[in-house]
Amino acid sequence: MATIDAAASLERHIEFPEVDLPSVPVDVESELEESPERAARELRKLWNLSEGPVGHLVRIAENHGILIVFSPPQTSSVDAYSFDSRVRPVIVLNPTKRDYFRQRFDVAHEIGHLVMHADSEPGGRKVEDQAHNFAAELLMPADVMKDLLPSSADWARLAQIKQTWGVSLQALLYRARRLGVMGEVTYRNAISFLSAKGWRRQEPGVMPAVEQPSLLAQAVGLLEEDGAVLDGLAYEARVPVSLFETIVSRTPQASLSGAFAGAPEIDSLPSGVFSILSRGEAR
């Protein structure tokens, strides 16, 4: 896969954060409903996350060795997907999805798959439900949310929690129901209201810019400071230049061509090994 080829090539010159991701297998046939939540709590503890809102989730994941990239727009058919490669775990995001709140949930969902489902077949309903419950606990820990969420559809209160915790109104309503804070009838009425208002497509309120990956972009920046050029890096990775640019970009990019870079000048290739660990933006 081109993403892995690009990352592996860059890692020959750049010291990336070590992979720090627990394996907490959850049987897809398990009837223990708390298993995904338990896995999320273990991750929160390992990553030293406070009980409060999770910050820049993409950057936190990168700091713990997860590679996050945008797919080319023409190949994006799902919200996100993940896999554990020979190099490091990878999460691929849909570049056309510009919803900050839902993207954060997508990232948390895929982290759940990486933690729980290394040996499971993707796409099954049970597997997806488990990843959903993992993401909910990671972003909205039960011990805090039980006392924070309203029992009624208090939209002003929900909007405040949404902005503070970085999760959608729909996710908050689902969480309130699952935790037993909100009754089934109240939940269904709230969802119906959301639908009638058109909020299931676009919720009200300020929409922050989506979280952007920076690990690969910063690696390329360090190498360019040392005299490397993008074409040369792409050539070394054996990845078409336009695709390489998409992979290492902080923002979604349109792939303009499939051409490979020609052989670069020898001094356009990186020399030495650099550490990205001490650079503040990647930490």
Side-chain angles (χ1 to χ4, degrees):
M1 182 179 182
T3 298
I4 302 306
D5 293 337
S9 180
L10 291 172
E11 284 205 68
R12 289 199 287 269
H13 309 285
I14 295 291
E15 183 185 0
F16 284 178
E18 292 185 6
V19 176
D20 181 25
L21 193 66
S23 175
V24 188
V26 174
D27 186 351
V28 296
E29 303 301 327
S30 173
E31 297 301 323
L32 298 176
E33 294 294 330
E34 287 297 312
S35 294
E37 284 87 346
R38 175 178 54 81
R41 288 192 291 270
E42 287 193 28
L43 182 71
R44 268 185 164 266
K45 182 177 181 181
L46 178 67
W47 285 3
N48 294 316
L49 300 178
S50 71
E51 290 186 348
V54 175
H56 195 302
L57 184 57
V58 166
R59 191 154 302 157
I60 290 171
E62 289 185 316
N63 290 347
H64 292 278
I66 299 174
L67 183 66
I68 301 181
V69 300
F70 289 105
S71 67
Q74 64 270 28
T75 65
S76 55
S77 58
V78 295
D79 289 337
Y81 65 93
S82 57
F83 58 94
D84 199 352
S85 73
R86 68 183 186 275
V87 177
R88 56 182 58 245
V90 179
I91 295 175
V92 182
L93 301 177
N94 187 325
T96 65
K97 191 170 187 179
R98 303 301 176 91
D99 189 309
Y100 166 86
F101 302 99
R102 290 185 172 89
Q103 186 213 56
R104 276 170 55 83
F105 201 91
D106 289 343
V107 173
H109 182 104
E110 296 307 324
I111 293 173
H113 282 313
L114 292 169
V115 169
M116 300 186 296
H117 300 137
D119 298 320
S120 301
E121 289 294 326
R125 176 63 182 272
K126 186 73 173 181
V127 168
E128 295 306 310
D129 285 348
Q130 288 176 344
H132 185 97
N133 292 335
F134 175 100
E137 177 67 23
L138 182 65
L139 296 175
M140 299 169 283
D143 288 347
V144 178
M145 285 292 160
K146 283 179 180 178
D147 296 327
L148 193 61
L149 288 167
S151 58
S152 62
D154 182 341
W155 296 109
R157 178 66 177 147
L158 288 167
Q160 181 183 45
I161 298 171
K162 167 185 173 175
Q163 295 296 331
T164 301
W165 288 78
V167 291
S168 68
L169 292 175
Q170 292 182 69
L172 288 171
L173 291 172
Y174 183 90
R175 191 65 169 151
R177 181 184 67 166
R178 180 168 176 80
L179 295 177
V181 174
M182 186 175 289
E184 184 68 26
V185 173
T186 303
Y187 168 78
R188 292 190 179 280
N189 287 340
I191 291 296
S192 295
F193 183 83
L194 273 176
S195 298
K197 287 286 190 178
W199 292 354
R200 298 195 75 167
R201 282 185 170 272
Q202 184 173 352
E203 294 186 357
V206 176
M207 178 66 72
V210 295
E211 294 181 353
Q212 299 174 355
S214 62
L215 189 63
L216 294 183
Q218 192 173 10
V220 169
L222 285 172
L223 295 175
E224 288 180 330
E225 287 177 10
D226 190 54
V229 296
L230 192 70
D231 285 10
L233 297 173
Y235 178 83
E236 185 179 43
R238 297 299 181 185
V239 174
V241 177
S242 57
L243 180 55
F244 185 86
E245 188 173 12
T246 297
I247 291 168
V248 303
S249 177
R250 297 174 189 267
T251 57
Q253 297 286 316
S255 185
L256 301 178
S257 73
F260 283 86
E265 297 294 331
I266 190 66
D267 60 1
S268 72
L269 291 175
S271 60
V273 177
F274 301 85
S275 173
I276 205 169
L277 305 180
S278 61
R279 299 298 177 111
E281 188 174 358
R283 292 185 64 81

